[in-house]
Amino acid sequence: MRERPETEAGAHAVVRSAAGAIRTAVAGEAAPPTVVPPTVVLDGSRLRQARDLLRSGDPEATAALAHLTARAERQLALGPWSVTDKPQIPPSGDRHDYLSQAPYWWPSRPRTAADPDGLPYERRDGLRNPEVDLITDHRGRGAMFDAVQTLALAWYHTGRADYAEHAAHLLRTWFLAPATRMNPHLAHAQAIPGSTDGRPIGIIDFSQQFTSILDAIALLGAGAPGWTEADRAGMHAWCADFTRWLGGDFAAEEAATANNHGTFFDMQLAALQLAVGQPDSARRTVLAARAARIDPQIAADGSLPEELARSRSWHYSTFCLVALTRLAHIGRQVGVDLWSYRNPAGAGILDAVRYLLPAATGRAPWPHPELHFQRFAASDVVRAAAEAGDPAAAEAVPELQAPPGGDLWPLRPSPEQLDPISR
């Protein structure tokens, strides 16, 4: 069954906390916005419905608000982050360029005075090298993405001005302020010491979560205090430049990748195209994903062979399905139904989710290699499939494990990666 507070008193405390947040928002200087935000993955109408549930005292939505505002309160004390914070200078010589190191690559020999670098580096799949955190861009990027998404969503549901103002400050610092902004490219992401200054595969540093930033910007654009027209125009320009860069030669290799990398690339590109006013291009990207992603990735039994080959097969199966289900949500915005599409093997996204259900519900162990199984990782994709009309997923929902920090699905009904091993 889904995890609940350990005691009845704990459950009542969660509800009281959320009820207080609602009363504070209603009594405060600004009420939550009334417009439907032009989000790209999240369904703006569903967000409005979630607000109605909160106002009616729905216990699931109320508990989710308590978890959300608790996270937002912590985020108020954090940041800002900037690519200019890192001590290293990227190979370009420009500190404004994003820089990260490949997480699964390690020195092949012990470092010594005669061999201080341990070159060449070798790949150890699923084992994260802690030295990657010496370059602060990757960790800062993840922290900033999480904070902006949490704060924007908390503002939307409560009307608390300080949440919106801090989210705006974080976005301006990372993307817009001349002294601290990031250049709109990822040419130096996931570099390997002694081998390469950056790899197309590093685009996933952004693609795995940047769509949440696009949705956060849309939420703030619904009238958030502290978010100006200049901010909106600046982020539109940054995203347009980044979209153009993703269409260039460097990114083409990542776009051609067969596993989750290619799917996340399409998801990010379609969301960006929609956000910068290119709905026809977004539609073409989603349509092409049927043959490019669903056809080769999903086997007849619903498994994802590219992900099952990994040492962390459960994580990467749920990870790939986050990309596929979020892409399906984008598809709805541009008139493409990916949920009902079946590949030549007769399988589709819903079949891939069903393949996870025995392990996601705890009915059976996961029968593939996994270094660190976390059952809750599948919860959001199962919820998405249930809402897409799959009866097996709907039946499984009461047996799902809530993620650490609480289930936010009632307030942000789109799948998130719940076990981010990259940071």
Side-chain angles (χ1 to χ4, degrees):
M1 297 295 291
R2 176 173 299 176
E3 293 180 343
R4 293 177 170 84
E6 293 183 0
T7 66
E8 184 177 356
H12 289 316
V14 168
V15 173
R16 286 196 301 271
S17 174
I22 296 170
R23 288 193 297 271
T24 298
V26 171
E29 295 181 0
T34 58
V35 300
V36 175
T39 45
V40 294
V41 177
L42 283 166
D43 185 330
S45 298
R46 287 290 312 283
L47 288 171
R48 282 290 306 275
Q49 291 170 14
R51 285 246 305 277
D52 292 340
L53 288 173
L54 285 171
R55 291 179 180 279
S56 69
D58 176 81
E60 189 177 28
T62 301
L65 184 62
H67 296 308
L68 176 63
T69 54
R71 295 185 192 186
E73 288 299 315
R74 291 192 294 270
Q75 298 290 5
L76 286 175
L78 302 178
W81 299 270
S82 166
V83 292
T84 60
D85 293 339
K86 60 182 172 290
Q88 302 86 357
I89 301 295
S92 63
D94 188 346
R95 200 184 293 272
H96 292 269
D97 286 346
Y98 178 90
L99 177 67
S100 68
Q101 185 172 316
Y104 299 151
W105 288 76
W106 297 69
S108 61
R109 297 192 301 271
R111 290 188 171 94
T112 65
D115 183 15
D117 299 317
L119 301 177
Y121 271 43
E122 61 184 11
R123 189 170 186 266
R124 303 175 189 174
D125 186 39
L127 298 176
R128 190 172 184 273
N129 184 348
E131 75 179 43
V132 304
D133 292 327
L134 298 176
I135 304 173
T136 57
D137 287 357
H138 185 273
R139 185 176 292 275
R141 185 272 316 159
M144 183 270 295
F145 280 14
D146 286 345
V148 168
Q149 177 186 10
T150 297
L151 291 163
L153 190 64
W155 168 76
Y156 182 80
H157 285 302
T158 69
R160 282 269 303 270
D162 52 346
Y163 293 158
E165 290 165 351
H166 194 51
H169 177 51
L170 298 179
L171 286 170
R172 279 194 295 270
T173 302
W174 187 277
F175 292 105
L176 301 178
T180 57
R181 73 186 298 269
M182 172 187 163
N183 292 328
H185 70 80
L186 294 166
H188 302 303
Q190 294 206 14
I192 301 174
S195 176
T196 176
D197 291 337
R199 301 181 298 157
I201 199 173
I203 290 171
I204 204 165
D205 280 13
F206 261 55
S207 62
Q208 63 176 302
Q209 201 180 0
F210 189 63
T211 52
S212 295
I213 291 293
L214 297 176
D215 278 344
I217 293 168
L219 291 172
L220 295 176
W227 188 247
T228 69
E229 176 59 26
D231 296 330
R232 187 208 64 78
M235 283 305 310
H236 186 279
W238 195 98
C239 290
D241 288 342
F242 186 44
T243 305
R244 282 190 288 272
W245 182 81
L246 288 173
D249 293 340
F250 183 89
E253 182 179 324
E254 179 76 340
T257 307
N259 65 357
N260 63 78
H261 280 261
T263 309
F264 272 103
F265 184 93
D266 284 355
M267 182 197 77
Q268 176 176 240
L269 180 61
L272 277 162
Q273 290 167 332
L274 193 56
V276 301
Q278 301 171 10
D280 291 340
S281 296
R283 178 179 170 82
R284 286 193 293 271
T285 299
V286 176
L287 283 170
R290 297 179 303 182
R293 310 304 175 198
I294 298 175
D295 284 7
Q297 288 184 351
I298 305 177
D301 64 354
S303 65
L304 303 172
E306 291 280 349
E307 314 309 331
L308 294 185
R310 305 292 297 271
S311 64
R312 297 214 54 192
S313 62
W314 171 255
H315 167 84
Y316 280 105
S317 291
T318 63
F319 188 51
C320 189
L321 274 167
V322 167
L324 286 168
T325 52
R326 287 176 75 83
L327 191 58
H329 283 205
I330 297 169
R332 286 179 171 173
Q333 305 254 34
V334 293
V336 179
D337 181 9
L338 287 188
W339 290 109
S340 62
Y341 176 76
R342 294 290 179 269
N343 64 17
I349 296 173
L350 294 178
D351 300 280
V353 174
R354 288 190 206 110
Y355 189 83
L356 304 181
L357 292 182
T361 57
R363 300 170 190 166
W366 179 245
H368 306 285
E370 174 56 53
L371 296 176
H372 185 46
F373 180 81
Q374 299 186 112
R375 185 160 68 90
F376 65 81
S379 294
D380 267 8
V381 297
V382 175
R383 294 286 291 264
E387 293 199 356
D390 183 70
E395 182 182 347
V397 166
E399 301 176 67
L400 298 174
Q401 183 183 46
D407 183 6
L408 297 186
W409 182 273
L411 301 184
R412 58 113 183 92
S414 70
E416 298 288 348
Q417 183 59 30
L418 299 177
D419 62 334
I421 62 172
S422 66
R423 62 182 187 278

